[in-house]
Amino acid sequence: MQRVLVTGGSGFIGSALVRRLVDTGYTVLNIDKLTYAGDNRALSHIAGHRNYSFVQQDIADRMSMTRIMLRFDPDMVFHLAAESHVDRSIDDASAFIDTNISGTFSILQAALEQWNRLEVQRKSNFRLTHVSTDEVFGMLGDSGTFMETSRYAPNSPYAASKAAADHLARAWHHTYGLPVLVTNCSNNYGPYQHPEKFIPTIIRNALMGTPIPVYGKGGNVRDWLHVDDHVAGLLAASRKGVPGETYLLGGRSESTNIDLCRMICSGLDTYRPDPAGRPYADLMTFVSDRPGHDFRYAVNCSKAENVLGWSPSCTLQSGILRTIEWFLDNEWWFHRPEKELNRLGLAAANA
């Protein structure tokens, strides 16, 4: 039975990966600092499972990471621990530098020690999958897509920190031989996503009858990937991917923010009609844009489809409806301290 170490396994994408791994028979150790974005309630149904264990620790603590790595003795590592909210990085980038850059260095060093001590067969099968974002490539115009060969041009402190982490991961492969793969994904959505993110914010505010904030004029375009499809792509990369290579994972589901907001509001009109009979779209309110807001991201995932045999399984319409149903059945997930849900990312605009 393979032993898998997951960093950031209490976060949105990490918890989806951990649930899938445990449910399919892997022995999993989850390392998470449990900042505001980490929530073990997302792992409640596997909390007592004999194949699952959890350690609360900061991945930037190099000595602890090495000790934990060697003690657990993994065959595979998925590195997802990261500060991930662009608005928060605009207000204060320090945590992004500490976790996303220094933390990645700690994990790479610990994994290198683990890999070097393995016997030949386990060493040849060992993989570290470094999970990143399409935001490292910057901004697209009205046409074109990001590819694995796209130039790095991060525009936010968050994206810059993830770009630095990607470069470290590649360097540890090319310099030390550590079998690292890098994946860059488009915008994720689905169950257990933190309420500060765009889609949960739309649903929460609609249900509360409060204004639904849409940055600028809502024309920014994103490619949307359901988190379960992303997890399937990560597993495919770890099994079939070539160390040293990068794989882009996207949903082939582009949408402007305003159109996505309308889609969600329409779904809520069907599943949970407003008591007063008002369309939820009436709550949409344009707010000041995020400083340096990238206009468009789009991912060409042909390499992952052709090499890994992976492709997204759900359309944006079907995935959004599933997501709405989940949030309506789990409204407790929205119950957070108000400071976690306040608008952030205006520091640069107000400077």
Side-chain angles (χ1 to χ4, degrees), residues 69-128:
M69 183 82 69
L70 299 182
R71 184 176 63 212
F72 181 66
D73 191 27
D75 302 291
M76 192 184 309
V77 176
F78 288 92
H79 176 39
L80 295 94
E83 292 286 341
S84 66
H85 193 42
V86 174
D87 287 358
R88 288 179 181 270
S89 79
I90 293 170
D91 281 354
D92 184 1
S94 58
F96 292 75
I97 305 305
D98 292 342
T99 299
N100 300 359
I101 301 177
S102 297
T104 295
F105 169 59
S106 294
I107 293 300
L108 290 169
Q109 284 292 88
L112 183 61
E113 286 200 38
Q114 166 67 4
W115 179 67
N116 278 328
R117 74 173 188 161
L118 296 176
E119 50 87 14
V120 174
Q121 186 60 49
R122 287 187 67 200
K123 189 172 186 178
S124 66
N125 292 330
F126 185 89
R127 294 290 184 273
L128 188 156

Side-chain angles (χ1 to χ4, degrees), residues 170-181:
R170 290 191 182 90
W172 257 244
H173 169 72
H174 289 288
T175 301
Y176 305 110
L178 184 66
V180 177
L181 307 98

Side-chain angles (χ1 to χ4, degrees), residues 241-262:
V242 177
E245 291 290 315
T246 294
Y247 300 93
L248 267 56
L249 304 175
R252 295 196 181 277
S253 297
E254 286 187 61
S255 175
T256 62
N257 287 344
I258 190 68
D259 285 344
L260 179 62
C261 192
R262 290 186 180 120

Side-chain angles (χ1 to χ4, degrees), residues 180-228:
V180 177
L181 307 98
V182 175
T183 62
N184 298 87
C185 69
S186 58
N187 280 38
N188 278 224
Y189 68 99
Y192 297 106
Q193 188 169 30
H194 193 279
E196 74 183 357
K197 301 294 188 176
F198 184 51
I199 290 175
T201 293
I202 296 170
I203 299 171
R204 182 189 73 246
N205 285 29
L207 295 177
M208 293 174 60
T210 58
I212 299 171
V214 179
Y215 288 176
K217 295 301 181 183
N220 298 75
V221 178
R222 297 293 182 264
D223 173 45
W224 292 93
L225 174 66
H226 194 280
V227 68
D228 291 339

Side-chain angles (χ1 to χ4, degrees), residues 15-163:
S15 63
L17 175 63
V18 169
R19 292 193 301 269
R20 178 78 62 88
L21 288 167
V22 173
D23 287 343
T24 52
Y26 291 89
T27 297
V28 178
L29 172 63
N30 169 21
I31 301 175
D32 200 293
K33 187 179 178 181
L34 290 185
T35 63
Y36 78 98
D39 194 329
N40 278 335
R41 292 179 298 174
L43 297 166
S44 57
H45 90 270
I46 62 165
H49 199 287
R50 61 186 177 86
N51 290 341
Y52 172 71
S53 54
F54 169 73
V55 173
Q56 184 175 355
Q57 186 59 259
D58 184 349
I59 62 167
D61 184 335
R62 284 181 57 195
M63 292 182 62
S64 293
M65 287 305 102
T66 299
R67 182 176 66 252
I68 293 168
M69 183 82 69
L70 299 182
R71 184 176 63 212
F72 181 66
D73 191 27
D75 302 291
M76 192 184 309
V77 176
F78 288 92
H79 176 39
L80 295 94
E83 292 286 341
S84 66
H85 193 42
V86 174
D87 287 358
R88 288 179 181 270
S89 79
I90 293 170
D91 281 354
D92 184 1
S94 58
F96 292 75
I97 305 305
D98 292 342
T99 299
N100 300 359
I101 301 177
S102 297
T104 295
F105 169 59
S106 294
I107 293 300
L108 290 169
Q109 284 292 88
L112 183 61
E113 286 200 38
Q114 166 67 4
W115 179 67
N116 278 328
R117 74 173 188 161
L118 296 176
E119 50 87 14
V120 174
Q121 186 60 49
R122 287 187 67 200
K123 189 172 186 178
S124 66
N125 292 330
F126 185 89
R127 294 290 184 273
L128 188 156
T129 303
H130 169 70
V131 182
S132 189
T133 170
D134 59 358
E135 296 192 38
V136 299
F137 302 119
M139 180 173 65
L140 290 167
D142 292 331
S143 62
T145 56
F146 294 132
M147 302 182 69
E148 285 79 4
T149 54
S150 294
R151 179 175 67 92
Y152 272 54
N155 288 321
S156 70
Y158 161 64
S161 69
K162 289 297 290 184

